[in-house]
Amino acid sequence: MKTERPVIFSGIQPSGILQIGNYIGALRYFPLLQDDNQCLYCIVDMHAITVRQDPAKLRHNSRSLAALYLACGIDPKKSIVYIQSHVSAHAELAWILNCFTYFGELSRMTQFKDKSAKHADNINAGLFTYPALMASDILLYQAKAVPVGDDQKQHIELTRDVAIRMNNIYGDDLFIVPEPLIHKTGSKVMSLQEPTRKMSKSDADETFVSMLDAPEIVKKKLKRAVTDSLGRVTYDAQNQPGVSNLLTIISSLTNKPMDALVASYEDKGYGALKADAAEAVIETLGPIQAEHARLMNDTAALDAILKGGAERANVLANRTLDEVKRRVGFTAR
Ligand code: TYM
């Protein structure tokens, strides 16, 4: 598949309302890439059902995530915004990639281990082969780079391994081998209550700030964020994970360099740090929430955007899928 500009692909699961880690680690970069690249931003509902979802909520969350993408500055005239299940090539290529992905590789995925521990009553085959579907998402569009948070690095490495494996068998020009785009600051925002674990939208409510939390809730959650008893504001993720996490949140959202930020707390305490973190979050989320609410009031317009996105994505995806089918030896229809 040849496109003029480099292709960027990323996706987020509509498995609940996003938390600020999703924004800081991934979503905030999405609009910044759309002028120089052909970006595809997908709402990965097929990934979401690897964990049991309420159908009505899933439908709502998929639209809500689309609105959030747009509210964060993704422009549907520049980027392709669509829902994964609207492009059947994702499932078709995933099957083929499954046949080139080893059991041992999938068994080593930390997300699989974490999620199977969390959902011990539903360790389904989809949860296990999830990385092959993710590889399909990326490889279908010949993406060069994938903006993600730190926790997706392993999945992208597997995507690369599978792409290289198939290129070795079927020709080097079959797939572009993608690179992860992971930024140094903010690629792993930690839980507010257990700052040695990453912030996750599937954990208890007080451990994360949701992107749709009202200002009072943001203030309350950050005020209660776990720190330590050392009483000094330094960036030391090992010994002061809670304080360092709050610094990361502020630095990411205000673009203040970490050194200057830390220096500004020389004679201030944790109360000021928490208040500043709350302010940075509220300032960032205010305009996004307002635009999100506006877009959710006009679901017909939102659905039209998603329909247009799926049409464009289908064309691109089928080019790769047809070529893969041909090379693996499927007969033409
Ligand atoms: P998901 O939906 O769990 O998360 C979406 C994005 O947010 C990042 N992220 C974080 N970044 C920093 N700190 C955190 N605490 C934090 N929590 C989440 C994730 O790294 C991700 O970039 N498998 C993916 C979705 C996916 C995908 C893809 C991504 C499916 N197909 C293809 C890229 C390309 C996932 O579960 O992300």
Side-chain angles (χ1 to χ4, degrees):
M1 180 186 84
K2 296 271 176 295
T3 51
E4 281 153 29
R5 292 178 300 160
V7 176
I8 301 277
F9 183 95
S10 199
I12 298 183
Q13 296 194 57
S15 49
I17 300 169
L18 302 204
Q19 37 87 9
I20 54 165
N22 298 124
Y23 180 76
I24 293 172
L27 181 49
R28 73 185 163 126
Y29 297 108
F30 293 2
L32 305 179
L33 295 160
Q34 62 189 349
D35 287 325
D36 299 328
N37 305 281
Q38 173 58 72
C39 296
L40 291 110
Y41 296 123
C42 186
I43 293 136
V44 293
D45 56 348
M46 288 160 64
H47 278 94
I49 62 160
T50 54
V51 169
R52 210 63 82 220
Q53 301 289 335
D54 174 81
K57 276 193 195 146
L58 179 60
R59 237 183 306 278
H60 173 82
N61 288 339
S62 294
R63 278 209 184 98
S64 173
L65 178 52
L68 210 47
Y69 275 173
L70 303 182
C72 288
I74 295 173
D75 177 351
K77 290 197 200 75
K78 296 181 184 166
S79 300
I80 300 177
V81 177
Y82 72 104
I83 294 183
Q84 187 182 31
S85 63
H86 293 180
V87 179
S88 58
H90 286 255
E92 287 189 67
L93 182 63
W95 173 254
I96 298 174
L97 299 184
N98 263 316
C99 301
F100 293 84
T101 308
Y102 299 126
F103 181 86
E105 287 175 317
L106 293 170
S107 309
R108 284 195 290 276
M109 295 294 117
T110 44
Q111 184 169 308
F112 171 68
K113 290 186 212 163
D114 289 351
K115 286 207 174 169
S116 36
K118 228 177 203 171
H119 305 277
D121 55 340
N122 183 22
I123 307 176
N124 59 74
L127 194 63
F128 188 62
T129 62
Y130 175 117
L133 178 59
M134 180 159 161
S136 164
D137 302 340
I138 298 166
L139 299 180
L140 262 183
Y141 301 97
Q142 306 289 353
K144 203 167 170 282
V146 187
V148 282
D150 191 62
D151 63 340
Q152 296 303 315
K153 196 170 166 202
Q154 199 185 26
H155 289 158
I156 308 225
E157 276 161 9
L158 179 59
T159 301
R160 289 171 56 84
D161 290 343
V162 173
I164 292 168
R165 184 170 304 147
M166 289 190 71
N167 283 355
N168 284 337
I169 306 172
Y170 299 108
D172 266 352
D173 59 340
L174 184 60
F175 292 127
I176 287 187
V177 181
E179 302 279 346
L181 245 181
I182 300 175
H183 289 261
K184 203 166 148 256
T185 307
S187 65
K188 194 172 184 186
V189 176
M190 308 308 266
S191 156
L192 298 177
Q193 292 301 317
E194 267 182 88
T196 49
R197 291 171 45 146
K198 74 164 183 178
M199 185 179 279
S200 166
K201 57 184 179 267
S202 57
D203 285 345
D205 195 55
E206 68 275 15
T207 65
F208 64 87
V209 173
S210 141
M211 287 193 69
L212 300 182
D213 275 345
E216 317 80 72
I217 306 285
V218 175
K219 280 189 201 151
K220 198 165 93 189
K221 286 181 177 174
L222 283 162
K223 205 170 184 176
R224 291 187 187 158
V226 167
T227 50
D228 53 55
S229 54
L230 296 175
R232 55 164 198 256
V233 178
T234 50
Y235 185 85
D236 178 352
Q238 204 69 31
N239 299 306
Q240 294 194 270
V243 168
S244 301
N245 191 38
L246 295 174
L247 286 167
T248 297
I249 292 171
I250 301 173
S251 169
S252 308
L253 296 180
T254 61
N255 290 320
K256 277 193 196 132
M258 191 56 89
D259 292 351
L261 182 65
V262 170
S264 73
Y265 288 101
E266 207 173 345
D267 41 33
K268 290 191 230 158
Y270 293 169
L273 179 69
K274 290 177 173 183
D276 291 349
E279 193 186 306
V281 171
I282 292 166
E283 292 264 306
T284 305
L285 295 185
I288 296 175
Q289 292 178 352
E291 183 59 7
H292 176 268
R294 194 188 68 78
L295 290 160
M296 289 301 279
N297 264 332
D298 189 357
T299 48
L302 203 54
D303 288 349
I305 288 171
L306 292 169
K307 185 162 179 266
E311 278 163 12
R312 290 167 71 196
N314 256 300
V315 173
L316 298 177
N318 283 325
R319 280 193 217 161
T320 299
L321 180 64
D322 288 349
E323 187 58 23
V324 174
K325 284 182 172 173
R326 194 181 70 75
R327 295 216 199 169
V328 300
F330 293 172
T331 51
R333 203 163 20 174

